[in-house]
Amino acid sequence: MIDPETQAGWVPEADAADDEEEMPLSLRLSIADTLTLGNATCGFMAVYFTTTGILIPHLTGSQESGMARHSAATAVILMLCAAVFDLFDGLVARKLRSSPMGAELDNLSDLISFGLAPAYFVLVYGMVADDAHQRVAALGAIVVLLAVVLRLARFSCVTMKDGMFQGMPSPFGALTVVSIVLLELPFVATLLAIVGTAWLMVSRVEYPKPRGRLAGAVLGWIVLSMGLLAAWAFDAPGGQLLLQTGCALQLVMGAVIPLFATARRVNNFRDNRREARAAQLP
């Protein structure tokens, strides 16, 4: 008796061979993809430490403030590590071969590490700071998350000139949001600064891509931030002051870059108008 599937022309060996030809193209990970997965892992662990070391002790009434400090520092350090992975996966992808999944993996990992993790950090901050501010903090967290979602979606479909980002990059925005929380400003000022950072992420302000010397400067800044967080977490002498100085510097950087970009755009606009007027003169 003839098998109906064989009669229809289906051959198991041929189908298996076709699967082997197709599957490796979609499942083979490059070195850059491995770094991107490290980014996602750091973002998830940041959420874990924020939950187990800050939120749960608060809900259970634990008085161990040291645990909260260590966990907060660990969560932020993990976000900084995610930024390091994000920095290097792009550099490696440009130097070596990248897989077809690279861009999608990068966006998904950035959403976890620089969208979910900082938004969750803001939410937990509101719950720990004052129960009356929970809903407002939740609104701020949603704004941060949606800003990162919109920024990543726009990045995938908008072509910018080489060497520039449109809007504050999500790693920089996430670290700015976390720095605002760690500064322990009044609640209203904290919320306004967080919303302002979210707006910068979806704005049209141009930010330079970290390449060459700028990439080295970014890496140095991240390492310095990790050191400041470690000093603060272990209650080193002057650790609180060092942390506040580092966070304040992050906010200054977040504010100065858009000002320079705006000033450059205004100058370019004026130069173009002058050239247009000069071309109209006889």
Side-chain angles (χ1 to χ4, degrees), residues 218-231:
V218 171
L219 180 60
W221 164 246
I222 291 175
V223 172
L224 176 60
S225 298
M226 290 181 179
L228 294 175
L229 283 166

Side-chain angles (χ1 to χ4, degrees), residues 4-266:
E5 292 178 339
T6 304
Q7 186 178 8
W10 178 77
V11 181
E13 291 79 2
D15 189 64
D18 291 340
D19 289 342
E20 290 178 359
E21 291 179 359
E22 294 177 1
M23 294 294 284
L25 293 178
S26 60
L27 295 179
R28 190 181 302 152
L29 295 176
S30 66
I31 298 176
D33 294 336
T34 304
L35 294 174
T36 303
L37 293 178
N39 172 5
T41 302
C42 288
F44 173 77
M45 293 305 297
V47 173
Y48 169 79
F49 278 100
T50 303
T51 302
T52 58
I54 303 176
L55 180 60
I56 292 179
H58 170 71
L59 295 177
T60 56
S62 175
Q63 301 298 323
E64 297 183 16
S65 59
M67 179 186 297
R69 174 178 292 191
H70 293 161
S71 298
T74 302
V76 180
I77 287 175
L78 284 166
M79 292 185 218
L80 289 167
C81 289
V84 173
F85 280 118
D86 185 63
L87 175 65
F88 279 102
D89 69 0
L91 297 175
V92 172
R94 285 190 289 270
K95 296 291 184 181
L96 304 176
R97 181 188 61 83
S98 60
S99 75
M101 296 188 299
E104 297 299 330
L105 284 176
D106 190 60
N107 277 347
L108 292 172
S109 298
D110 286 354
L111 179 59
I112 295 172
S113 298
F114 312 124
L116 175 62
Y120 187 69
F121 198 81
V122 171
L123 177 63
V124 172
Y125 155 75
M127 297 177 66
V128 172
D130 190 344
D131 292 339
H133 294 152
Q134 286 187 23
R135 294 183 179 180
V136 182
L139 179 61
I142 292 173
V143 169
V144 171
L145 180 63
L146 293 182
V148 175
V149 170
L150 292 172
R151 200 221 171 284
L152 293 174
R154 185 178 66 182
F155 178 77
S156 299
C157 59
V158 174
T159 303
M160 285 292 295
K161 59 184 180 182
D162 189 40
M164 300 300 295
F165 286 119
Q166 187 179 68
M168 179 183 286
S170 53
F172 192 88
L175 297 180
T176 302
V177 167
V178 170
S179 295
I180 293 169
V181 174
L182 292 177
L183 275 176
E184 298 182 348
L185 300 171
F187 182 80
V188 174
T190 298
L191 185 65
L192 290 176
I194 289 173
V195 173
T197 303
W199 176 82
L200 284 174
M201 283 192 277
V202 296
S203 69
R204 295 184 178 181
V205 177
E206 295 181 351
Y207 285 77
K209 292 184 178 181
R211 295 179 180 176
R213 293 182 178 179
L214 183 58
V218 171
L219 180 60
W221 164 246
I222 291 175
V223 172
L224 176 60
S225 298
M226 290 181 179
L228 294 175
L229 283 166
W232 172 69
F234 291 100
D235 203 17
Q240 182 70 24
L241 178 60
L242 292 174
L243 176 72
Q244 292 176 349
T245 302
C247 292
L249 183 58
Q250 176 72 26
L251 266 64
V252 170
M253 291 171 60
V256 168
I257 293 177
L259 291 177
F260 275 114
T262 303
R264 185 176 61 181
R265 179 176 294 184
V266 171

